[in-house]
Amino acid sequence: MARRRQVYEGKAKILYEGPEPGTLIQYFKDDATAFNNKKHAVITGKGVLNNRISEYLMIKLGEIGIPTHFLRRLNMREQLIKEVEIIPLEVVVRNVAAGSLAQRFALEEGSPLPRSIVEYYYKNDQLGDPMVTEEHITAFGWATYQELDEILNLSLRINDYLLGLFTGAGLRLVDLKLEFGRLWEDEDMRIVVADELSPDNMRLWDARTNERLDKDRFRRDLGNVQEGYAEIARRLGILPEAGPRDLKGPEAIQ
Ligand code: TMP
Ligand code: ASP
């Protein structure tokens, strides 16, 4: 069995060289971390669910004309993606006060915000992903004004679309984190959605009871983390009755 070359290992995913130039295989691990790696656990089945949920949401974004790095799911834990140059920003869009925003401004978690708020964080584990402004981003050259404009437009469109999609599934999209990459096609460059779209990176509450179904279950020791993710998948209509083990896909590329 030929071994694939590992390109990168992050906290929740591994990237391998893809079958063709310009492609990568993204492998979803069961590892969960919080507070910049200070807290760690293995949540059995999380990787399988995130792979499926991210596939579903990336395809949905593609359908409304939002470019993403996603090509196709290969199997339970892997998807084929386009290789992009990751822009070192975490773009957070918030609809409802929660998490660090609620803490910083002493807002009650769950109170709606006057409008969606976008925040940028510099993606750097050693620095603990500090919040940054457009000034830092452009002055330090992490993205140009033009790129940032595109990133902001895409982020608001994605948030708008996902708000509606989740509402239809009885879920409240409280906030989400997005990452973007530069996709080079000959001389042209396009900004595309990268990384993953999963309950690891967004807060999703039950629309009626405000029950937390996302990674806050892990961060806050609320328990039943895998069950929360499975419930999200079930409401999106993408979880087979028998559970994540039942997900079909071609064999892993070796
Ligand atoms: P926060 O309220 O902790 O700042 O998180 C805002 C959103 O960003 C929430 O949906 C969780 C997500 N997030 C990540 O995806 N990665 C991170 O490292 C952090 C801190 C938050
Ligand atoms: N990116 C954070 C970390 O590992 C996780 C989080 O809070 O979502 O540590």
Side-chain angles (χ1 to χ4, degrees):
M1 213 191 299
R3 271 192 72 80
R4 293 172 300 181
R5 196 171 72 83
Q6 184 175 311
V7 178
Y8 174 82
E9 177 158 12
K11 287 176 284 201
K13 295 187 293 298
I14 305 174
L15 294 177
Y16 297 99
E17 217 167 51
E20 292 132 36
T23 64
L24 294 172
I25 292 168
Q26 180 163 254
Y27 175 97
F28 288 76
K29 302 194 278 185
D30 281 342
D31 297 66
T33 66
F35 315 116
N36 203 15
N37 235 345
K38 287 192 195 76
K39 179 170 176 170
H40 174 262
V42 173
I43 316 277
T44 306
K46 177 177 83 84
V48 174
L49 286 160
N50 279 357
N51 186 27
R52 183 71 184 96
I53 293 170
S54 198
E55 171 198 26
Y56 176 78
L57 295 175
M58 292 277 182
I59 288 175
K60 285 290 186 190
L61 292 186
E63 284 172 5
I64 61 157
I66 292 179
T68 80
H69 72 166
F70 181 83
L71 287 168
R72 64 191 159 89
R73 187 165 63 84
L74 297 170
N75 55 56
M76 300 248 293
R77 288 190 182 271
E78 296 176 325
Q79 47 183 247
L80 188 67
I81 58 170
K82 295 177 196 163
E83 185 171 20
V84 301
E85 185 183 308
I86 290 286
I87 294 170
L89 295 177
E90 301 201 344
V91 182
V92 171
V93 189
R94 302 178 183 272
N95 304 302
V96 174
S100 67
L101 181 90
Q103 251 185 357
R104 195 171 332 115
F105 299 110
L107 301 172
E108 193 183 338
E109 274 217 325
S111 43
L113 298 171
R115 61 172 168 83
S116 300
I117 295 176
V118 180
E119 299 170 344
Y120 303 108
Y121 295 85
Y122 178 44
K123 196 172 145 66
N124 184 316
D125 280 345
Q126 268 153 18
L127 300 176
D129 298 343
M131 189 194 269
V132 293
T133 68
E134 199 178 297
E135 277 289 287
H136 303 116
I137 296 166
T138 50
F140 292 125
W142 300 322
T144 64
Y145 280 107
Q146 204 184 0
E147 287 171 338
L148 204 49
D149 194 45
E150 175 73 2
I151 287 170
L152 177 62
N153 281 328
L154 286 170
S155 299
L156 292 173
R157 270 181 70 200
I158 293 165
N159 180 60
D160 260 14
Y161 174 72
L162 292 183
L163 268 173
L165 182 144
F166 285 123
T167 299
L171 296 165
R172 192 172 182 203
L173 178 63
V174 170
D175 52 35
L176 84 160
K177 187 265 293 183
L178 296 164
E179 292 189 27
F180 295 89
R182 297 183 186 94
L183 178 67
W184 296 93
E185 281 163 341
D186 301 320
E187 292 299 290
D188 293 329
M189 189 276 288
R190 270 198 309 164
I191 303 284
V192 306
V193 178
D195 193 50
E196 69 180 288
L197 296 171
S198 78
D200 270 12
N201 311 112
M202 57 183 80
R203 290 195 169 94
L204 288 168
W205 297 356
D206 178 274
R208 210 166 36 83
T209 64
N210 283 341
E211 185 190 3
R212 274 73 169 159
L213 298 168
D214 57 79
K215 194 176 167 189
D216 270 351
R217 286 193 173 195
F218 168 70
R219 296 188 189 99
R220 303 177 185 193
D221 296 319
L222 302 175
N224 296 325
V225 183
Q226 192 269 355
E227 289 78 1
Y229 286 41
E231 178 61 19
I232 291 166
R234 195 187 63 74
R235 293 198 194 180
L236 293 173
I238 56 176
L239 184 65
E241 285 306 310
R245 283 184 189 289
D246 221 26
L247 280 172
K248 295 280 189 301
E251 292 307 302
I253 293 178
Q254 297 297 337

